[in-house]
Amino acid sequence: MDGNRMATVVGFAAALAVLAGLVWLVGIDETVDALATADPAALLAVAGIAILWLVSWGLALWTVLQALGASMAPHTAVLVFVAAVFSNNVTPFGQAGGEPLSALLISTAADSEYETGLAAIATVDTVHFLPSVGYAIVGFTFVAAGAVQLTRNLAFAAGAVAVLAVGIPIAAVLGWRHRDRIQAAVVRGVAPAFAALSSVVPRWSPPSAENIEARIEGFFSAIERIATDRRTVLQTFGLSAFGWVCLSASLWTSLYAVGVSVPVEVVLLVVPVGSIASVVPLPGGSGAIETVLVTLLVSTAPVSAALATSAVLIHRVGSYLLPTIIGGGVAAALSVDQATSLEE
């Protein structure tokens, strides 16, 4: 536990260092001045848009849980999703690092099996990927059409869009086709590791290889059940697409707050591409996401680095800090409930 806490502290320290370096590079005084003169009404609008985003993606999680037979009220699903966002924001590699904890939070709130929670959050994250590709392609098409020349940063954006549109889907398809091999490999690797861990953890009995295999099969069965439910897929996709609109609107409004107006296609490109930076080993991709967003904004819109940085910081308060604070409280409450139920 102490090691995990230390890793989290080091991760946040590194993220803050990256952010500080970014602000220092673009100009501390200019960035602070832009933040100080930001439109208060626009700042409130950013907070409201962030809440709309959380509600839409929380309802997407509720839709998936309903298809899996996990009973949960819509408002509870929204709060649990915010807690899942918290877990993503405090662990390295973003969603990839936070999904195990998110699955635990979901299964606790829904009183379901862990693999059901994992299937739910994995499905929601996968569906979120689809509209982001569409928005990124549309945004890049219009931005590239209006560009005088293909700069290095636009070339990077093109490569990122290509990875989103081609590379990740191919990897997902191959992974699904070879899921039996993946399952066997996981069982071969995890079972001995758990057995070795049990020798140093007192009063803990590791799950058997058969139990691990059954849980993995349950996970894949849940994924297949959702994928074959057309209504659930369409509803989840629609809610996800609206959430991406909210995130893009948040960045656009943040720019407006500091006196900058940019074409809509710019934020449609910048937001999905910036989200790729969450895969870096920093809590929630903090530092890396802001750097990518600022770089792309300066490359695709007539905005100074200082104004772009101040707008990105405002945007990230709504899309990162707000759900982290609220989600942390929800996660703590769920942990207390689970501990109480275990004692009883």
Side-chain angles (χ1 to χ4, degrees):
M1 184 65 70
D2 290 339
N4 292 335
R5 289 176 181 173
M6 180 58 67
T8 301
V9 170
V10 171
F12 275 111
L16 288 174
V18 173
L19 280 175
L22 173 64
V23 174
W24 175 81
L25 186 64
V26 303
I28 298 175
D29 293 338
E30 294 86 346
T31 302
V32 172
D33 289 342
L35 289 172
T37 57
D39 184 352
L43 296 180
L44 288 175
V46 170
I49 292 169
I51 292 173
L52 280 178
W53 157 60
L54 292 169
V55 169
S56 65
W57 282 13
L59 291 177
L61 174 62
W62 174 74
T63 301
V64 171
L65 287 171
Q66 291 294 105
L68 293 174
S71 179
M72 183 183 292
H75 69 276
T76 303
V78 172
L79 290 174
V80 171
F81 173 75
V82 179
V85 175
F86 161 78
S87 69
N88 293 337
N89 287 349
V90 299
T91 54
F93 306 106
Q95 292 174 336
E99 278 199 347
L101 179 56
S102 299
L104 179 61
L105 294 172
I106 293 169
S107 61
T108 299
D111 193 21
S112 63
E113 297 292 335
Y114 177 80
E115 54 267 26
T116 300
L118 184 60
I121 193 63
T123 299
V124 169
D125 287 343
T126 301
V127 173
H128 288 335
F129 157 78
L130 298 174
S132 73
V133 173
Y135 289 138
I137 292 175
V138 170
F140 179 79
T141 300
F142 281 95
V143 169
V148 177
Q149 61 180 350
L150 187 65
T151 64
R152 179 180 299 178
N153 292 326
L154 274 181
F156 163 77
V161 171
V163 170
L164 282 172
V166 180
I168 296 179
I170 289 177
V173 170
L174 290 175
W176 181 256
R177 287 184 176 180
H178 299 285
R179 59 187 181 276
D180 292 338
R181 294 182 181 178
I182 295 175
Q183 175 180 321
V186 170
V187 173
R188 288 196 303 269
V190 171
F194 278 169
L197 186 62
S198 65
S199 63
V200 296
V201 178
R203 293 184 295 179
W204 180 69
S205 299
S208 64
E210 292 76 14
N211 182 266
I212 296 173
E213 185 175 4
R215 287 182 173 272
I216 296 174
E217 288 178 354
F219 167 76
F220 283 126
S221 296
I223 293 290
E224 188 171 9
R225 181 177 176 181
I226 297 168
T228 54
D229 188 335
R230 182 176 300 179
R231 181 179 179 181
T232 297
V233 171
L234 290 177
Q235 288 178 341
T236 307
F237 180 88
L239 289 165
S240 175
F242 179 71
W244 280 110
V245 170
C246 291
L247 285 173
S248 299
S250 171
L251 181 56
W252 190 94
T253 307
S254 298
L255 287 161
Y256 179 81
V258 296
V260 177
S261 180
V262 301
V264 173
E265 58 265 24
V266 170
V267 292
L268 288 179
L269 167 64
V270 169
V271 169
V273 173
S275 67
I276 299 176
S278 64
V279 300
V280 301
L282 293 171
S286 294
I289 291 178
E290 288 82 357
T291 301
V292 172
L293 290 176
V294 170
T295 302
L296 289 177
L297 281 174
V298 172
S299 303
T300 57
V303 54
S304 68
L307 287 176
T309 301
S310 61
V312 167
L313 291 176
I314 293 171
H315 166 68
R316 290 288 283 168
V317 167
S319 61
Y320 178 85
L321 187 60
L322 180 63
T324 300
I325 294 174
I326 298 175
V330 176
L334 288 174
S335 299
V336 170
D337 289 344
Q338 185 183 33
T340 302
S341 62
L342 288 174
E343 290 176 359
E344 294 176 351

